[in-house]
Amino acid sequence: MSVSNLKQIMNLIIDIGNTLSKVAIADGKEVRFFQSFHELDIDDLMPIINDFKPERCIVSAVGKIPVNTLVWLRQNLPVHIAGANTNIPLKNEYSTPETLGFDRLALAVGANFLFPNQNVLVIDAGTAITYDLVTSEGVYKGGAISPGLRLRFKALNDYTAKLPLIEHFKIVDIVGTSTVECISSGVINGTVLEIEGYVGKINSIYEGCAVVLTGGDANFLANMLKNSIFVNPFLMVIGLNRILEFNV
């Protein structure tokens, strides 16, 4: 994609997880580029920087940041490492902020940026399913954490003697007619009912709450949810980009 006509400031967003490193180019609410890597290497970053010419960078890391990559980045761009001292454009009312993952805060910031002056619930459907609430006044309240789909399937296999591990799952009827279907119904339909129940409870307390679904299983679950939701696979990128701009 040519960037000659893009007038807004480009930012390089790097989110290093336990298994994948995600690299994006963003300006405001727009994600211009996104790619995942198993191991982040200078050779991967160099063409991205050359093509888009970002002016600054933010790195959020759950996993380890390769030292040589970080050194190279700092030689080419102003780099902000997201962490406990990073300012965010929200008031944080979490009672144990030292235990709060920065990824949850970034998602909350992204949701608040997309839905300003509105109550918004973020649901991140990944390894775990996290629920995070931001009020219309820009206050991060907290939320809930429960096992994701694969964790639920794995737990049934690990802690029972005969139940098989379901690795390739699909939408099934509420009443299963085989062991595999019963496990799938319990995990998948149970998760859907959990999400719908949580959304309903939040909406009874915080009126007019927008719901944003993100994470690896977002599209799969969205097809079964009855509640009105917005699916945004780039919510983390949008949140990190907003945090970077807030700290400039």
Side-chain angles (χ1 to χ4, degrees), residues 39-85:
E39 292 185 13
L40 191 60
D41 189 84
I42 295 170
D43 290 337
D44 298 320
L45 291 173
M46 195 177 300
I48 299 170
I49 291 178
N50 288 338
D51 286 347
F52 290 93
K53 297 177 175 55
E55 296 193 16
R56 51 188 177 244
C57 171
I58 185 170
V59 179
S60 176
V62 175
K64 293 182 179 179
I65 307 173
V67 175
N68 61 329
T69 302
L70 183 57
V71 170
W72 183 84
L73 276 171
R74 282 178 163 158
Q75 290 172 344
N76 288 272
L77 289 168
V79 178
H80 181 89
I81 306 298
N85 296 323

